[in-house]
Structure formats: C-alpha cells, structure tokens
Amino acid sequence: MAWRSSGATNEALITNLVKNKLIRSDRVKDAMLRVDRAHFAPAKPYDDSPQPLGHKATISAPHMHASACESLLDYLEPGSKVLDVGSGSGYLTAVLANLVAPNGTVIGIDHIQPLNDMANANMGKSEEGRKMLESGQIKFVTGDGREGWAEGAPYDAIHVGAAAAVHHKALTDQLKAPGRLFVPVAEGGTQHIYVIDKNKDGSLERQKLYGVQYVPLTDAPV
C-alpha cells in the first residue's frame, strides 16, 4: 500500500499513510505532521518514495520513516536520547526529536560533511527547527556511524538509515539496557530490517522483520 500513500501536501501524505495503516499511532502521526518533508527532500517531497540527495545518498520513503518510528516508539519517550545513523538531510532526525520532546535529544551522524551542512540548513527553514538546533535538542555530527557516537551514549534508541554489512557491535554496545536498535542488514543479495532489543541484563534479542532496499552503510568518499 506504500505506493498509494503519496499526496499533494504533507498533510495529505500523512493522512494516506494513516489510512493505509503504515502509521498506526497518533504520536507518530503528529510528529510527522509537524515536520514538512518539503524542507528535507529536494524533489517530489510528498511522494511515498525515496529521493536522491546527492553524494550517493538518499532520503528514505516516508513509509519507511513511519515504520522506523513505530518500531522504536516504546523507547521514544519525553527525555529519551536517540542516535540517528546516516541522518542525511535531517528529516527523520527532526521527526524523532518531536517524539522525544520537550527534553529529549537526538544526535544525527553522517560521514559526509556536505550532508550535515544540508541537514543544518534544512532545520533552519522552520522556526521549530531553528529552536531545536539552538536548544541542543538536535545535533548533527560527522563521523563513521558504524561506530556509533560514543560521546552521546548510552541511547534509548538507535536508528540506522543505511544497510549494514554486518551487525555492528559498537551500536548495540551504545544502547541502554533496555534499549532498541532499528537497522537494515545486508544478507547475501538481500536486505532485511532487524529490530534488536537490549534487555535489562544486557542480553540481545534480534527480530528479523521484512525485506528492504537501502543504500549501503559505507566509508566516506575520498
């Protein structure tokens, strides 16, 4: 049903995602309504499809952002700390910040500096976005997301927006116990979304969800 969810406006897009049961909770609906995708997607922002950002990166389709938020929702409470790996244009970082507001924080990490520059500029397109940057609710850093961002750890939730070649131990190490990781993982010629829960005792439970197609989580270009 994802291909039927496109709309002419941000509100229409979100309404269609709800109608097609790709958004299931009011919290995710409200958070996505507060972030105008046109500020973050360079073309056809309200199509439910991925869009190229340049630098061999993409912004994922809105239904994938909705799925990530729904999957992590139990760990996205006011005051939660979140890491967004492969934050790209900053769209999902902003949605996640709304879900952990007013006193939560989200760190977006990308290894491509021009994308972080783009994300900061995109946040500046709205008053709410500017306030989130100024208050420290959102921070964009440049680094290898496969190693997480130890300076901000531990995190209640980690989202990964590119396909990992393996399960990166650094990411689960930086989760709180309990905490949750949402990550696409490449397996042979396919990719699947995994949700990995870190339990109170530090043990990990991996759940394989559904097949996807993401750009790979790679080294920064030289």
Side-chain angles (χ1 to χ4, degrees):
M1 299 295 284
W3 58 276
R4 298 183 183 177
S5 297
S6 300
T9 64
N10 197 61
E11 184 176 1
L13 167 64
I14 305 308
T15 297
N16 289 334
L17 289 168
V18 171
K19 181 174 67 176
N20 292 326
K21 296 182 171 53
L22 297 161
I23 293 176
R24 301 185 302 276
S25 67
D26 286 341
R27 288 184 62 213
V28 172
K29 179 189 73 174
D30 292 344
M32 292 182 73
L33 281 171
R34 291 178 69 92
V35 182
D36 190 343
R37 189 172 155 88
H39 293 166
F40 299 87
K44 298 181 179 179
Y46 307 127
D47 281 6
D48 192 13
S49 62
Q51 305 282 335
L53 294 172
H55 309 282
K56 298 182 179 180
T58 62
I59 176 174
S60 297
H63 72 270
M64 285 307 308
H65 289 143
S67 177
C69 291
E70 293 284 357
S71 296
L72 294 171
L73 192 59
D74 289 346
Y75 295 83
L76 302 176
E77 299 291 344
S80 293
K81 185 181 289 186
V82 184
L83 180 66
D84 183 20
V85 176
S87 45
S89 69
Y91 172 77
L92 187 60
T93 318
V95 174
L96 292 167
N98 277 294
L99 285 166
V100 300
N103 56 335
T105 56
V106 184
I107 296 173
I109 182 169
D110 206 293
H111 61 189
I112 300 172
Q113 184 61 49
L115 288 179
N116 282 333
D117 295 340
M118 179 193 300
N120 278 298
N122 290 341
M123 292 297 299
K125 293 175 183 177
S126 70
E127 182 179 357
E128 183 175 29
R130 291 190 294 273
K131 287 180 178 178
M132 285 181 167
L133 285 177
E134 291 165 2
S135 68
Q137 284 179 273
I138 286 178
K139 178 183 178 181
F140 295 103
V141 299
T142 302
D144 186 347
R146 295 171 297 188
E147 299 300 322
W149 187 252
E151 290 180 31
Y155 303 99
D156 297 276
I158 298 176
H159 165 266
V160 181
V166 296
H167 289 281
H168 292 287
K169 185 175 182 295
L171 297 178
T172 50
D173 284 350
Q174 291 175 26
L175 278 176
K176 289 183 182 178
R180 179 171 290 173
L181 167 65
F182 177 99
V183 56
V185 179
E187 301 172 309
T190 64
Q191 299 175 6
H192 288 86
I193 292 293
Y194 277 82
V195 168
I196 302 173
D197 283 331
K198 189 172 189 178
N199 300 314
K200 286 185 179 180
D201 63 1
S203 62
L204 300 176
E205 293 183 14
R206 291 182 170 90
Q207 183 181 5
K208 185 177 180 178
L209 298 185
Y210 47 82
V212 290
Q213 188 171 0
Y214 277 71
V215 298
L217 196 61
T218 62
D219 294 328
V222 293

